[in-house]
Amino acid sequence: MALCLSSFTALLLACFTISLVLCNAFPGHHNYPFPHHHHPRFATHNYRDALTKSIIFFDGQRSGRLPSNQRITWRRNSGLSDGSAVHVDLVGGYYDAGDNVKFGFPMAFTTTMLSWSVIEFGGLMKGELQNAKDAIRWATDYLLKATAHPDTIYVQVGDANKDHACWERPEDMDTPRNVFKVDKNSPGSDVAGETAAALAAASLVFRRSDPTYANLLATRAMRVFEFADKYRGPYSNGLRKFVCPFYCSYSGYQDELLWGAAWLHKATKNPMYLNYIQVNGQVLGAAEFDNFFGWDNKHVGARILLSKAFLVQKVQSLHDYKGHADNFICSIIPGAPFSSSKYTPGGLLFKMGDSNMQYVTSTSFLLLAYAKYLTSARKFVNCGGITVTPKRLRVLAKRQVDYLLGDNPLKMSYMVGYGPRYPQRIHHRGSSIPSIAAHPAKIQCSPGFNFMKSQSPNPNILVGAIVGGPDQHDRFPDQRPDYEQSEPATYINAPLVGTLAYLAHSFGQL
């Protein structure tokens, strides 16, 4: 699970410093260890295999009653009474990472990014498209339950502090399944805005295959967004001791309001959302400089998505968003005049030590999506007089994915089950404790830590799980207690699904 770092304030200060640097048009320092190279004719990786596995991973994170076609078979039913304490059915959904808590904020973001992956690249996925849609539906079925009552969203099931004091399989867990919610009296515009985005994005995924379900998702998204906008406030104000330091809302809720409105504009075509964006965009931070995109901060994603409306759908009033998106791109491209991003000596984008791979996968997705929109509109990015082509964005995205899959100094894949060498001791309860099939007797809270502390490889392979990844020097100790580098999470995998579909298709593997 993502934990807030003591250096977060320093990070914010760094962001402000970077924005000052940009204002002064002073080139930032960067290291650029890899050459400009074109797509080779032959792929060094089996992107199709990686795509399959990146989706199978979600089966391993499922909570609730598992279906007959469950592909990670060492998992069993869990959390079957979730919500009963407050007489609400909250069975289902996903565990966020290596623990047994259901956190609504990152779950909703995961859903939005899985949906965006399918919206942009689902047409290339062939046989994996249905699996991706199943992964989305597992989440949206839960989000519909969590938003069943007007002006209320159930945003968490489980007491995170008590959960983390135990090392138990989900199937055995006996820690409290407390339910936490946001409502009119204790608002949460961030988690509500993200939930609205997730429901709206997913409605586009199911529009053709299940129009009734798609309509339900879109209608609910509109209601949830109205709640997010009407009762404003960050959810970690009212729920601080339950959601922090795990999934505090550091970036505020303005980004989620812009992001939610952008998805509703795309999903419903209702002019009121375009009007909302035009009236509120600046106030909600449309033009602020930041280049983090993840479960907390959605500004960059909103800029890229709204630039699509301008570039592809020709919505002229959103013209400024191309400039905002270009600023983000220029900050990422190594060697560009305004580049402010760090890369490891081996070439991996490096944002922070805690679960850095989430920024690698989310940024790679944005690079490919934006390249697609630019190509469609025959446009480029201008970075201080240097022309950055869509092809260059694709090359950088591919380089990041190739590093993740094994083209790195350790020659290690950071996706479990892919390639000859991958992490063996991931920070994940279910993967690290013998399965029900191997050990039917219950393993209690405290004895479970014997498995956590063990040096043995995990007995259960969580296929497709992508871990937090190496440090800024390309080092990876592969130690289970090291959650910053060894813990997988749903929001690391979600953006990679679309990226892998694009790469598998472009190298003729799909």
Side-chain angles (χ1 to χ4, degrees):
M1 119 151 23
L3 283 168
C4 68
L5 302 175
S6 56
S7 59
F8 198 81
T9 316
L11 261 170
L12 285 178
L13 285 171
C15 287
F16 285 127
T17 307
I18 288 161
S19 61
L20 288 173
V21 165
L22 284 178
C23 290
N24 294 309
F26 189 84
H29 290 288
H30 44 261
N31 49 331
Y32 185 27
F34 38 94
H36 299 262
H37 52 72
H38 302 296
H39 270 329
R41 249 173 254 166
F42 304 103
T44 51
H45 287 286
N46 187 337
Y47 301 115
R48 181 176 188 161
D49 180 50
L51 170 64
T52 299
K53 287 171 175 167
S54 72
I55 302 171
I56 287 177
F57 160 74
F58 289 94
D59 281 28
Q61 296 302 110
R62 284 172 168 170
S63 182
R65 191 173 297 284
L66 303 183
S68 56
N69 63 352
Q70 169 76 11
R71 294 185 292 172
I72 290 195
T73 52
W74 49 262
R75 283 293 324 281
R76 296 286 189 273
N77 298 338
S78 62
L80 297 182
S81 59
D82 281 0
S84 60
V86 291
H87 311 293
V88 180
D89 174 10
L90 294 174
V91 176
Y94 289 113
Y95 303 116
D96 70 301
D99 49 44
N100 300 327
V101 185
K102 294 192 304 208
F103 292 98
F105 195 23
M107 197 194 308
F109 176 69
T110 293
T111 311
T112 310
M113 292 312 296
L114 271 176
S115 298
W116 200 0
S117 285
V118 169
I119 289 162
E120 293 303 338
F121 303 113
L124 313 177
M125 287 181 186
K126 303 284 175 65
E128 292 304 329
L129 177 58
Q130 189 55 50
N131 292 324
K133 288 166 85 167
D134 289 348
I136 293 166
R137 193 164 189 145
W138 194 266
T140 50
D141 282 353
Y142 175 81
L143 294 176
L144 287 170
K145 293 176 177 184
T147 56
H149 298 157
D151 293 339
T152 302
I153 305 178
Y154 295 96
V155 297
Q156 186 171 316
V157 181
D159 182 318
N161 289 300
K162 290 183 173 155
D163 176 87
H164 289 139
C166 284
W167 195 264
E168 290 180 305
R169 301 178 292 205
E171 297 83 0
D172 283 341
M173 66 179 162
D174 46 16
T175 46
R177 300 302 283 172
N178 300 12
V179 175
F180 304 97
K181 66 178 180 178
V182 295
D183 56 25
K184 297 176 187 178
N185 302 316
S186 180
S189 302
D190 30 36
V191 67
E194 183 59 71
T195 303
L199 294 166
S203 75
L204 289 163
V205 170
F206 295 103
R207 178 163 286 172
R208 287 198 185 130
S209 57
D210 192 341
T212 306
Y213 189 63
N215 189 49
L216 172 62
L217 293 171
T219 306
R220 186 64 58 81
M222 294 172 77
R223 189 176 89 187
V224 170
F225 183 79
E226 187 179 356
F227 163 68
D229 189 45
K230 187 174 179 182
Y231 303 99
R232 291 194 181 191
Y235 90 132
S236 40
N237 275 10
L239 296 175
R240 177 163 297 276
K241 62 181 178 179
F242 306 111
V243 303
C244 298
F246 315 106
Y247 293 102
C248 277
S249 181
Y250 302 109
S251 68
Y253 59 78
Q254 290 81 1
D255 52 317
E256 279 85 15
L257 289 179
L258 185 61
W259 174 243
W263 277 110
L264 277 158
H265 165 62
K266 184 170 176 57
T268 69
K269 303 288 188 283
N270 188 319
M272 77 176 178
Y273 295 109
L274 181 58
N275 183 60
Y276 180 93
I277 292 160
Q278 290 163 341
V279 171
N280 299 291
Q282 294 300 312
V283 180
L284 298 178
E288 287 173 16
F289 177 78
D290 45 31
N291 65 357
F292 278 78
F293 177 56
W295 60 262
D296 182 30
N297 192 334
K298 321 296 160 45
H299 274 133
V300 174
R303 288 170 200 142
I304 298 280
L305 186 64
L306 290 169
S307 69
K308 181 184 187 181
F310 165 67
L311 289 166
V312 182
Q313 280 90 34
K314 313 295 185 199
V315 182
Q316 293 303 319
S317 62
L318 296 176
H319 171 272
D320 287 353
Y321 285 91
K322 181 184 185 291
H324 301 327
D326 286 356
N327 288 340
F328 161 68
I329 295 297
C330 296
S331 79
I332 294 292
I333 297 291
F338 304 126
S339 180
S340 58
S341 296
K342 290 190 171 66
Y343 289 80
T344 68
L348 185 72
L349 177 67
F350 194 83
K351 291 288 187 184
M352 65 164 66
D354 186 356
S355 190
N356 178 63
M357 207 58 91
Q358 64 179 301
Y359 303 108
V360 175
T361 60
S362 62
T363 302
S364 298
F365 177 87
L366 293 183
L367 289 169
L368 285 186
Y370 199 50
K372 182 181 171 185
Y373 311 153
L374 290 168
T375 302
S376 169
R378 294 188 170 86
K379 301 276 193 211
F380 302 95
V381 177
N382 184 337
C383 295
I386 292 176
T387 298
V388 175
T389 62
K391 182 172 187 177
R392 187 159 173 195
L393 304 190
R394 293 186 184 108
V395 167
L396 179 56
K398 178 183 179 293
R399 175 73 188 86
Q400 296 305 300
V401 175
D402 287 349
Y403 182 113
L404 186 157
L405 294 177
D407 291 1
N408 56 61
L410 296 182
K411 300 288 180 271
M412 170 180 262
S413 157
Y414 290 101
M415 176 187 282
V416 174
Y418 176 87
R421 186 174 181 222
Y422 52 81
Q424 300 294 312
R425 287 171 284 275
I426 66 170
H427 182 95
H428 189 278
R429 287 157 177 75
S431 173
S432 66
I433 301 174
S435 66
I436 299 281
H439 190 293
K442 177 167 177 162
I443 296 169
Q444 302 281 354
C445 167
S446 296
F449 279 103
N450 293 327
F451 296 102
M452 198 270 264
K453 294 168 186 166
S454 158
Q455 283 295 311
S456 302
N458 287 12
N460 308 311
I461 306 297
L462 184 56
V463 173
I466 300 158
V467 295
D471 68 11
Q472 66 204 46
H473 304 292
D474 300 299
R475 296 175 303 206
F476 182 77
D478 195 13
Q479 294 297 319
R480 203 173 290 113
D482 177 11
Y483 63 84
E484 293 190 349
Q485 289 183 254
S486 292
E487 189 169 18
T490 56
Y491 45 85
I492 303 179
N493 275 60
L496 191 66
V497 170
T499 306
L500 288 170
Y502 169 79
L503 289 170
H505 172 79
S506 66
F507 284 97
Q509 298 173 357
L510 278 171

